[in-house]
Each structure stands twice: as structure tokens, then as C-alpha cells.
Amino acid sequence: MKRAGQKIVARTEAPGPSQTSKKQKTSLHGSGFGESDPCTSMDWGTLPHHVILRVFQFLTLVDRARASSVCRRWNEVFHIPDLWRRFEFELSQPATSYLKSTHPDLIQQIIKRHADHLQYVSFKVDSSTESAEAACDILSQLVNCSIKTLGLISTAKPSFMNVSKAHFASALTVVFVNSKSLSSIKIDDTPLDDPSLKVLVANNSDTLKLLKMSSCPHVSPAGILCVADQCHGLKELALNYYILSDELLLALSSEKHVDLEHLRIDVVSENPGQVQFHTIKKQSWDALVRHSPKVNIVMYFFLYEDEFDAFFREETPVTHLYFGRAVSKAMLGRIGMNCPRLIELVVCANGLQPLDDELIQIAERCKNLTAMGLGECEVTCRGFIEFVKMCGGRLTQLSIMEEVLIPDSDYSLDRLHLEVSKHLGRMWFPDMMPTW
């Protein structure tokens, strides 16, 4: 009994200095069983603002809102302007969309407390007209904003096109007039019109650097020309071919204008035979390349085979070509002859005639070609190997469906990948069609 009593006394004795330091060490960093959890002994409310802010930046909006209710200090950080400079409004109709929607109460809180903090803003809407109209309503309330980048994104069909032109123009005008410092605008598939562009130019001509406005049917060649004439800092532009003109290319080539870095042109036809495509003069293309020698000119074609007549009959400084529909052998032959700056070529479909001669001509004439993709086409193994041999290691991307390649007397598919790998200087295999 005495020993037992002595043991009890020994356990209740005050710890010595070394034991105290050991306990402190385990309470702060310990991980053994029975030791206190550092999270329970640490006062998270005393963390510096900049640390909490950094944590909040990694959280989703919903988690950030929940974290703001932990304590008064965290709630203060929740409203720091730095957290609200970049925001994406998600607008959808729950009955018809899988997208999560930004809560209406939060939207109103942002408009009341953080509208003047917003700088990088995007709207992601589903296919419903109601969501697009809600986005326009929010834009109309951003009267104290200083937005630098604006993006309107339709996740399915272009729902902004169903909004009345007057409503859309009124909403954009609020942002264009009040921001004064817009540098990037992405408003594809919208009812943007010439008067709205004039308002944009009048208030943001010194800061605008990027404008993406493909599939904006209410914009005329004169409207986009106004932008090029006034916005001399514009570096990236995306538009439809129908508003591309010789005058526009010359305006982008003026001495006042900075070097253009990226020009994307969508060439689209919904109804075959109903659109007559105009021709851009070689002198206009030459002027643009002289002024901006490093410009990337990207063209997306969604045409039918008999609609290509206006293109590539003269030298064209295009760098990236994508054909979303069938393209004829004759058209690919013209590309080989007249596109010396070509860097990337993607052909989704061609037909049942082998493209050996056309590919070999492209390899011979397009010395900058580094990427090639072929879908529903046909190429003999011999012709394909000759193409790869001529291009060599500069082909950094080569995506060819196995069904494209036709075995011949010289090469089987098994031997082909070894031969192509040898010329590329790396292992290569054709792409396989999924079997599920």
C-alpha cells in the first residue's frame, strides 16, 4: 500500500523544468496518442489578416462564406477588397441546368458592398434566356465599377442572343462608361452592335488590349474599323470573317498601332450556297505582317466544300488552320502553295482520296509547320512517312487517327510507328478510336 501511495504522490508532483519544456513541445507539435491537438490550443482568430486572406483565396466562394462566420476577424477579412477583385457570376435555372448558381443574396451583397472592388469579372450562363437577362440586370447595376476584364460565357447555346438588343446594349453601356480602364473583353455570341462599340472606344481606347467578339451579327465592318482606328494598344482580336476587310488590316498596320499579336478569324456558313465570301487583297495581308511580323493569324473554317473558292488563291500569312468540316484536295493543295507561315494544320474530314501529294507539298513549302492533326481522311503509309521524314523533329505535335493510315506494300501499321518514331526522334503511335 505504501508503494502504491508513493506512486500516486509521484504522479501528482509538479514537473521539473525539463518535463515542462517537453510538455510544451508536445502540445505545440505533438502527434502521440493522448496528447492535446494543436488545433484545440491555438486561437485561429488571432491569425494575421494577410494569412487569413491567403487561406480564403484557396477556398470556393461557398466555403469562404461559411468560414466568414467563424469569428468577427474572419468576417472582416471576408470583406477585404482583394478578395473581390476577381469574381465569376454563375447564373442558371435549376429546373433545366446542372450548373450551380450564385445565390441571389450574395449577388446583392456584392453589388452593395463590392461593386467598386470588382476588376476581373465574368458571367457564366446556361442556355436559358432568363439567365442571360439576369446577367444583364447585374451589369446594369455596376455603376461604380472599375472593371479591367469582362467575359460573357454561354455554356450551351448562345443564350445572350435571345436578350433584346436594347437591354444588352444598355447593360454594356453602364460598364463601358463607368470602367474607363477595360483592357480585355470577351463577348462572343452576343447582340453587340456598332453603337455599343463606339461607347467602348470613347471611354476605353487607351487601355483596350484584347477584344473577342466572334459571332456578333449586329457588328458591321465599319463598327470594328472604328475600334482599330482608335484603340492603338489592341494586341488580340477575334472576329468573324464577314467583318474582316482590307481597311481593317490597314488600320491595324498603321504606325500608331502597336504590334498585333493574335488575330483569330472564324469563317462560318450555316446554309450552303447562301453566303458569298469576299477576298482580302494580298497587299493588305502583307502590310499587316510587315507591321507585326510575329502575329499569329488563326483561321477556323466551318464551310462546305464548294464554299472555299475565295480563299488561299494568293499568298496568305495564316499561321494556324482548323477545318471543322470537309475540305477538298484542291483546297489543301492551295494551302501548300500559298501558306508559307503555316505552323499548325488540323483537318477533321476530307473524303476517300489519299492526301499524299498534298501533305508532301505542305511539308516542302511550309517550313514552320510544327503541328498536324488528321481525322476522317486517308493517307498511305508510304506517303505519311515521306511527310514526316521531310518535316523531321520540328513536328512537336502529330495527332493522326489510325483509321486514316492505309497500309501499302512497303509499310504495315506495325512498322509505320517505328519508322515515324525514328524520324521524329521520339516514340510515336497513331491515335486509337475508343471502343466503348
Side-chain angles (χ1 to χ4, degrees), residues 163-176:
V163 178
S164 73
K165 192 163 67 169
H167 187 194
F168 186 79
S170 174
L172 278 189
T173 297
V174 171
V175 177
F176 289 173

Side-chain angles (χ1 to χ4, degrees), residues 214-232:
S214 295
S215 301
C216 296
H218 302 299
V219 175
S220 71
I224 188 61
L225 182 59
C226 171
V227 176
D229 279 336
Q230 301 296 322
C231 301
H232 297 142

Side-chain angles (χ1 to χ4, degrees), residues 138-405:
I138 295 172
L139 284 170
S140 300
Q141 298 178 67
L142 301 181
V143 292
N144 296 317
C145 65
S146 56
I147 295 176
K148 293 183 178 180
T149 70
L150 174 65
L152 304 182
I153 305 163
S154 297
T155 57
K157 66 180 182 181
S159 52
F160 282 104
M161 291 302 299
N162 298 325
V163 178
S164 73
K165 192 163 67 169
H167 187 194
F168 186 79
S170 174
L172 278 189
T173 297
V174 171
V175 177
F176 289 173
V177 169
N178 290 285
S179 289
K180 305 291 186 185
S181 59
L182 276 164
S183 63
S184 172
I185 306 174
K186 300 177 183 179
I187 44 178
D188 299 326
D189 300 299
T190 63
L192 180 72
D193 57 10
D194 289 358
S196 299
L197 284 179
K198 289 182 179 179
V199 175
L200 169 67
V201 169
N203 293 276
N204 301 273
S205 61
D206 293 336
T207 57
L208 189 63
K209 295 181 180 179
L210 181 150
L211 178 60
K212 293 188 175 182
M213 39 166 283
S214 295
S215 301
C216 296
H218 302 299
V219 175
S220 71
I224 188 61
L225 182 59
C226 171
V227 176
D229 279 336
Q230 301 296 322
C231 301
H232 297 142
L234 191 66
K235 293 185 176 182
E236 296 188 45
L237 178 62
L239 72 171
N240 277 75
Y241 186 80
Y242 79 91
I243 58 175
L244 184 71
S245 64
D246 294 294
E247 292 79 10
L248 175 62
L249 294 181
L250 294 175
L252 294 170
S253 308
S254 69
E255 292 182 1
K256 295 180 180 179
H257 208 287
V258 300
D259 284 9
L260 194 67
E261 295 177 358
H262 194 90
L263 176 62
R264 169 174 168 160
I265 305 161
D266 289 353
V267 192
V268 182
S269 170
E270 298 296 340
N271 301 305
Q274 294 188 8
V275 179
Q276 295 294 323
F277 292 97
H278 60 284
T279 301
I280 300 296
K281 296 177 182 177
K282 180 179 182 298
Q283 295 92 320
S284 304
W285 287 120
D286 290 345
L288 178 64
V289 174
R290 279 196 304 271
H291 179 267
S292 305
K294 295 182 180 180
V295 61
N296 284 317
I297 301 175
V298 183
M299 298 185 75
Y300 284 81
F301 283 88
F302 296 91
L303 303 182
Y304 297 90
E305 280 195 35
D306 57 351
E307 295 180 310
F308 285 100
D309 190 62
F311 301 98
F312 307 119
R313 292 201 168 273
E314 294 186 299
E315 189 171 299
T316 307
V318 64
T319 56
H320 299 73
L321 274 175
Y322 305 92
F323 292 96
R325 293 180 186 152
V327 57
S328 67
K329 282 171 62 72
M331 181 64 172
L332 291 174
R334 296 210 298 264
I335 290 170
M337 290 292 294
N338 295 318
C339 299
R341 297 180 77 240
L342 190 63
I343 295 173
E344 181 176 11
L345 175 63
V346 176
V347 179
C348 290
N350 168 258
L352 300 178
Q353 295 178 309
L355 299 177
D356 298 21
D357 294 340
E358 289 74 22
L359 289 184
I360 290 171
Q361 185 178 59
I362 288 171
E364 182 180 3
R365 305 274 302 220
C366 304
K367 300 298 186 183
N368 298 313
L369 187 72
T370 60
M372 169 69 78
L374 295 178
E376 297 179 15
C377 309
E378 287 195 356
V379 183
T380 68
C381 289
R382 184 192 303 115
F384 180 65
I385 289 175
E386 183 63 23
F387 164 77
V388 174
K389 183 178 179 181
M390 295 176 70
C391 292
R394 63 182 165 95
L395 275 177
T396 57
Q397 298 181 48
L398 186 60
S399 178
I400 311 295
M401 298 302 297
E402 187 178 61
E403 293 78 8
V404 169
L405 300 164

Side-chain angles (χ1 to χ4, degrees), residues 394-430:
R394 63 182 165 95
L395 275 177
T396 57
Q397 298 181 48
L398 186 60
S399 178
I400 311 295
M401 298 302 297
E402 187 178 61
E403 293 78 8
V404 169
L405 300 164
I406 306 172
D408 49 43
S409 57
D410 293 330
Y411 297 98
S412 64
L413 289 177
D414 290 335
R415 186 183 168 196
L416 176 129
H417 92 85
L418 294 173
E419 195 70 19
V420 171
S421 299
K422 180 180 73 174
H423 294 301
L424 291 179
R426 65 181 188 278
M427 189 60 70
W428 179 88
F429 290 94

Side-chain angles (χ1 to χ4, degrees), residues 112-132:
K112 289 179 181 179
R113 299 190 62 171
H114 302 293
D116 55 338
H117 303 147
L118 295 173
Q119 292 185 357
Y120 310 96
V121 180
S122 61
F123 290 82
K124 184 187 289 184
V125 303
D126 62 5
S127 59
S128 68
T129 304
E130 292 84 355
S131 298

